[in-house]
Amino acid sequence: MKKLSDLRQEYTLGELSEKNILPNPIEQFKAWMQDAIDARIIEPNAMVLATALPDGRPSARVVLLKEVTPDGFVFFTNYESRKGKEIIANPHVALVFDWHEMERQVRVEGVAEKISAEDSDRYFHSRPANSRLGAWASPQSQVIENRSVLEQRQTHFEQHYTDRGIERPPHWGGFWVIPYVIEFWQGRANRLHDRLVFQKQDEDWHICRLAP
């Protein structure tokens, strides 16, 4: 393997200034997301979700963003999974979007809340049938003996729902991350990257620049 400390990449694709950033960070995020979609980045809505227990021990994983509202970011999961339990115990979370092909990154800090049952139902029923069955079949984050356990559970629920609609499991649904910090990062030459940060104060967003 090549020596990791020898890896070098100059960032020269763009710049980010106070003059060209939109005044609302959600709108700026949506613009960058559209750029990532247009650039055909694989799963541009993939994001790192970091959670922490009340004692501060962190964990992180990649999940998929499924909606951007005027007030935040929505994803779906098993509420009884590790991340679900950690969010319920400590709702402060962080998100990271890495669009490395575009030399861009967005970092979010916020508070996660469950979305309404109606909104969770609406998204659940838009999913393919096998994905809906998978939400029933997988006891997410629990130790299982082997893969056959999952396959047997999937078969069980396929048979159970053969002649009926697949309802949403009560332990599965959406979280809405309400941000209070959103940082936009654009790579620049010589590691002098652009970092513009929006911070929520009362109902207004205030912007500042951070050293890279």
Side-chain angles (χ1 to χ4, degrees), residues 42-67:
I42 297 174
E43 292 199 306
N45 58 328
M47 62 186 186
V48 175
L49 165 67
T51 57
L53 292 169
D55 65 8
R57 285 181 293 164
S59 62
R61 74 290 291 159
V62 176
V63 299
L64 296 178
L65 177 71
K66 288 299 180 180
E67 185 179 359

Side-chain angles (χ1 to χ4, degrees), residues 8 45 120 122 177 192:
R8 293 286 185 276
N45 58 328
S120 288
R122 187 176 303 111
V177 178
L192 297 178

